[in-house]
Amino acid sequence: DVQLVESGGGSVQPGGSLRLSCGASGHTYSSNCMGWFRQAPGKEREGVAFVYFGGGSTYYADSVKGRFIISQDKGRNTVYLLMNSLKPDDTAMYYCAAGPFVTGATVRVPGAYTYWGQGTQVTVS
């Protein structure tokens, strides 16, 4: 199994920045992709940003391109999400996820991810 622990959420004014962290432990070698989903009240879970461990390629939702940056620290098994120019629409619970067989076709699909963190709240107001 893989255990994921998020940190770094909080409240910020529009235009501000936050950095989320997701630390992975356990059988981390079993995952090929790791990233972030978010879910606002009454809305579906949305894929935000992901990084593939093999080649380091990344994926971003259109709504965050140019504002969010995902990065990985392989030595610490940690993935970061730097969120800049935050908007009220970015308010949501953010979940870290990891999966073993994520492809380009499934990167935004929650069901493609096996492991999930407990979530961290981000509020922009």
Side-chain angles (χ1 to χ4, degrees), residues 58-124:
T58 56
Y59 166 86
Y60 294 95
D62 287 343
S63 58
V64 306
K65 280 181 182 176
R67 300 189 298 122
F68 290 12
I69 301 172
I70 190 168
S71 60
Q72 58 175 317
D73 182 335
K74 294 181 180 179
R76 297 184 178 183
N77 288 330
T78 300
V79 170
Y80 303 97
L81 184 66
L82 176 60
M83 305 184 295
N84 298 315
S85 302
L86 283 162
K87 306 174 182 179
D89 284 349
D90 296 317
T91 296
M93 185 71 78
Y94 283 70
Y95 296 92
C96 180
F101 304 114
V102 180
T103 67
T106 63
V107 65
R108 296 176 59 184
V109 179
Y113 295 81
T114 304
Y115 308 106
W116 292 84
Q118 79 285 356
T120 186
Q121 178 68 37
V122 172
T123 301
V124 185

Side-chain angles (χ1 to χ4, degrees), residues 1-4 27-28 30-31 35 96-100 110 112-117:
D1 284 353
V2 174
Q3 294 77 44
L4 303 176
H27 298 160
T28 56
S30 65
S31 296
C96 180
Y113 295 81
T114 304
Y115 308 106
W116 292 84

